[in-house]
Amino acid sequence: MMKSIINNPVVKVGYAILSTMSISNYIKTRAINGSFDVHDTIVKPKYKVSVVMPSYNEELFIGYASQSIKDQNIVQKYPTQFELIVADSNSRDKTAEIAKLYADKVITTPRGKLTARNHVLNELNGEILVSVDADCYYPPNFLNKLLKSFQDKSVVGTSGFTIDHIPYGSITNSLYPIIHFIDNITLNRSRLYGRCSAYYTDLQRLEPFNENIDQTNVGQMVQEEEIGFGRKLSKYGYIIFNPEACCFHFGSIKEGCRENITYSKEIDKAYCEQIRNKERF
């Protein structure tokens, strides 16, 4: 009887799903623990670091995102090695006003995330550029984990991990970390996530983003900003994926907007309407 139950196809599928969810949860837990590790050794960066945060109508989150960068353990220990630059694309809300409370510079740029990231290159003092987003929270050991790999001269870029709430069923939510992990170690090993990556600033000057794509199109943006850019930089050295350098993505609500999932009126007003109007990707 027991043998027949074990060999049942439905039971096998259920067991496989539960096992995969367990592994996925382990990856997620490991990522979170690494980024919150208060006992981790803090390594002084060899170079000045510019943390660049593009923004557009992010008043709901930019204060939390900026403060989390200022609260990084490595920034607290070596403050003169870091600068926070907010590249704001003429926000219509209080984003720029809030950003000025935290950032070393708030630079007004033309519309478009890639345009903003190219636009600020001549304003940076850092030899290493850390790319972050205005709708994320960065645990205190995030930058320390992300930047350690640059102690190796053959490394030209590093990419972190995202803890993201996907607005679908619980199984999809549970499996996302393992899907994220496998993608980064197989198909897209050189991918540099726009919300959690670092690389030498001069390499972006050599390989600037193509601003002529549709910067409100998710697929085109992912291909240009993350996958394509990482592949271009991998010509110059190694790209390291570090899942212990993780961030929490508040703005994942935008995924729901794209799928026409209704949230609160406040969120719909802040994001969904802009996405539907092709103002943001």
Side-chain angles (χ1 to χ4, degrees):
M1 179 68 177
M2 182 59 69
K3 186 175 181 180
S4 63
I5 293 175
I6 293 174
N7 289 330
N8 186 294
V10 175
V11 173
K12 285 184 175 181
V13 171
Y15 179 77
I17 292 174
L18 289 174
S19 298
T20 306
M21 287 171 65
S22 178
I23 296 171
S24 189
N25 187 60
Y26 171 79
I27 293 170
K28 180 178 179 179
T29 302
R30 181 75 179 267
I32 293 172
N33 288 343
S35 286
F36 279 99
D37 186 0
V38 296
H39 302 295
D40 196 13
T41 302
I42 301 174
V43 178
K44 183 178 181 179
K46 287 186 175 181
Y47 310 100
K48 295 281 187 179
V49 179
S50 295
V51 181
V52 177
M53 181 183 292
S55 65
Y56 176 68
N57 291 355
E58 298 285 2
E59 68 175 9
L60 291 175
F61 305 124
I62 194 166
Y64 297 103
S66 301
Q67 186 63 59
S68 71
I69 294 297
K70 305 298 279 189
D71 287 342
Q72 294 291 304
N73 55 11
I74 194 171
V75 175
Q76 294 287 313
K77 188 167 184 178
Y78 302 109
T80 60
Q81 294 292 107
F82 292 87
E83 64 176 359
L84 173 59
I85 309 295
V86 171
D88 185 66
S89 296
N90 283 289
S91 290
R92 296 178 295 165
D93 60 8
K94 296 181 180 179
T95 297
E97 182 180 334
I98 295 170
K100 289 176 182 177
L101 300 174
Y102 303 92
D104 296 289
K105 293 180 185 177
V106 177
I107 300 169
T108 302
T109 72
R111 181 72 60 82
K113 187 181 180 185
L114 301 185
T115 300
R117 291 184 66 181
N118 282 340
H119 187 85
V120 300
L121 280 175
N122 293 329
E123 303 284 345
L124 308 182
N125 295 316
E127 295 168 86
I128 291 178
L129 189 159
V130 175
S131 178
V132 299
D133 278 357
D135 58 359
C136 292
Y137 167 77
Y138 296 90
N141 198 39
F142 163 78
L143 278 179
N144 185 41
K145 285 288 189 183
L146 191 70
L147 295 171
K148 281 184 177 183
S149 295
F150 288 98
Q151 301 297 314
D152 182 343
K153 293 183 178 180
S154 66
V155 172
V156 299
T158 62
S159 193
F161 193 77
T162 300
I163 304 298
D164 210 338
H165 171 68
I166 307 298
Y168 303 110
S170 59
I171 292 179
T172 304
N173 290 338
S174 299
L175 294 180
Y176 177 73
I178 194 169
I179 294 170
H180 184 356
F181 182 84
I182 291 174
D183 179 63
N184 278 271
I185 63 174
T186 56
L187 296 176
N188 294 303
R189 297 178 65 181
S190 61
R191 184 171 181 170
L192 287 168
Y193 284 91
R195 71 175 65 100
C196 54
S197 63
Y199 48 87
Y200 287 106
T201 308
D202 280 345
L203 291 184
Q204 189 184 331
R205 294 188 176 108
L206 285 172
E207 305 283 357
F209 294 108
N210 176 13
E211 300 174 30
N212 294 320
I213 68 163
D214 181 356
Q215 295 187 48
T216 64
N217 181 287
V218 181
Q220 291 186 39
M221 282 292 291
V222 168
Q223 184 60 48
E224 177 62 24
E225 181 187 23
E226 299 180 348
I227 297 173
F229 184 63
R231 287 174 181 168
K232 286 189 288 187
L233 264 57
S234 66
K235 297 182 299 185
Y236 302 95
Y238 292 107
I239 305 290
I240 302 297
F241 169 56
N242 186 349
E244 291 191 340
C246 86
C247 68
F248 293 81
H249 185 211
F250 299 134
S252 57
I253 201 77
K254 289 180 283 191
E255 297 290 339
C257 297
R258 298 184 190 114
E259 298 297 325
N260 295 315
I261 298 174
T262 302
Y263 293 92
S264 70
K265 291 182 180 179
E266 181 181 17
I267 293 296
D268 278 346
K269 183 177 181 180
Y271 284 108
C272 296
E273 183 179 328
Q274 293 168 10
I275 288 172
R276 294 184 186 112
N277 292 336
K278 300 286 285 182
E279 294 180 31
R280 64 163 76 235
F281 75 96

